[in-house]
Amino acid sequence: EDQVTQSPEALRLQEGESSSLNCSYTVSGLRGLFWYRQDPGKGPEFLFTLYSAGEEKEKERLKATLTKKESFLHITAPKPEDSATYLCAVQARTTDKLIFGTGTRLQVFP
Amino acid sequence: GAVVSQHPSWVICKSGTSVKIECRSLDFQATTMFWYRQFPKQSLMLMATSNEGSKATYEQGVEKDKFLINHASLTLSTLTVTSAHPEDSSFYICSARPSSPTDYGYTFGSGTRLTVV
């Protein structure tokens, strides 16, 4: 069964304190792994798509990496505006569906 | 970038009435649209997948007769919650997959907060 597990559930960081969020997955043939950001009361906002192990993508203070079993979202020198829930999802080759993890609630305080 | 518009943003309805939520892809054609439900502090649970011009495919445990999905065109899908009850109160989100491949992944609407009183 395809499954996504994210850790930690919640993370509190001081502004400027870098950290990483983890997304472990099992899928029957990975088509893509997705990272989204979700603010309270809003829909998820697309961040990255990773397709194969070893791939990395960056956007501002965020960097996503992928191995055969997990993905990391590295946050460098976070700011309070980075506070949000970060969702990881996988898509298997045989389906159009995305399987989501439960997310990591990130809070960055000044 | 791909934009999905979802309306209304929030709705309050009386128990027993029906509510329709619209999901439109504004600048691309969406062969497939997805409907999710999200409870507070929980992740997105896929309810159904709709393909333009065909019947929706519902996930296990989702009542087809309660959650009616129509995908009549490549830019519009609707979710109708029929005979709503307080337990249907939730945050509903749609997403769309472009007909042509992009690197944007799946684009999500802004969500609809449904409260049934």
Side-chain angles (χ1 to χ4, degrees):
Chain A
E1 183 184 346
D2 300 337
Q3 194 169 3
V4 178
T5 303
Q6 289 189 249
S7 62
E9 285 188 16
L11 182 62
R12 284 170 53 88
L13 298 174
Q14 191 156 17
E15 184 171 4
E17 180 187 0
S18 301
S19 188
S20 297
L21 283 54
N22 178 265
C23 171
S24 298
Y25 66 92
T26 54
V27 65
S28 51
L30 179 71
R31 181 186 294 186
L33 184 141
F34 303 83
W35 281 99
Y36 287 88
R37 168 191 171 130
Q38 186 177 27
D39 292 301
K42 303 286 186 183
E45 175 188 341
F46 173 76
L47 293 174
F48 303 108
T49 308
L50 301 168
Y51 297 101
S52 58
E55 190 174 1
E56 299 182 352
K57 288 192 177 175
E58 288 188 67
K59 178 182 178 181
E60 297 179 353
R61 296 179 292 281
L62 300 176
K63 178 181 177 180
T65 62
L66 180 65
T67 72
K68 289 184 179 180
K69 294 182 179 180
E70 59 190 349
S71 176
F72 290 94
L73 184 66
H74 305 280
I75 303 177
T76 302
K79 298 182 179 181
E81 53 261 43
D82 294 322
S83 297
T85 295
Y86 290 85
L87 297 168
C88 172
V90 296
Q91 182 188 12
R93 287 202 192 97
T94 56
T95 179
D96 285 337
K97 302 180 200 179
L98 296 186
I99 306 298
F100 279 88
T102 51
T104 294
R105 293 190 304 279
L106 173 66
Q107 185 178 2
V108 182
F109 54 96
Chain B
V3 178
V4 171
S5 175
Q6 185 173 342
H7 292 282
S9 299
W10 59 271
V11 58
I12 300 173
C13 71
K14 291 185 177 180
S15 188
T17 62
S18 296
V19 173
K20 180 183 283 188
I21 302 170
E22 288 192 353
C23 180
R24 292 180 184 273
S25 56
L26 296 186
D27 51 1
F28 66 99
Q29 292 184 328
T31 307
T32 306
M33 289 187 175
F34 304 87
W35 288 94
Y36 295 83
R37 185 172 180 175
Q38 187 175 35
F39 291 103
K41 295 188 178 182
Q42 294 189 25
S43 193
L44 282 71
M45 297 301 296
L46 180 65
M47 299 174 64
T49 302
S50 73
N51 292 294
E52 184 263 340
S54 62
K55 289 184 178 180
T57 302
Y58 290 81
E59 295 299 301
Q60 192 172 6
V62 177
E63 298 177 60
K64 301 178 183 181
D65 295 332
K66 167 165 276 298
F67 300 101
L68 300 180
I69 291 171
N70 183 275
H71 192 162
S73 76
L74 284 172
T75 60
L76 174 65
S77 177
T78 60
L79 167 67
T80 302
V81 183
T82 64
S83 187
H85 288 93
E87 56 265 32
D88 298 324
S89 299
S90 190
F91 192 56
Y92 293 88
I93 312 174
C94 69
S95 88
R97 183 174 79 94
S99 302
S100 302
T102 73
D103 197 34
Y104 299 137
Y106 290 33
T107 304
F108 285 80
S110 54
T112 298
R113 171 74 58 195
L114 171 63
T115 302
V116 185
V117 299

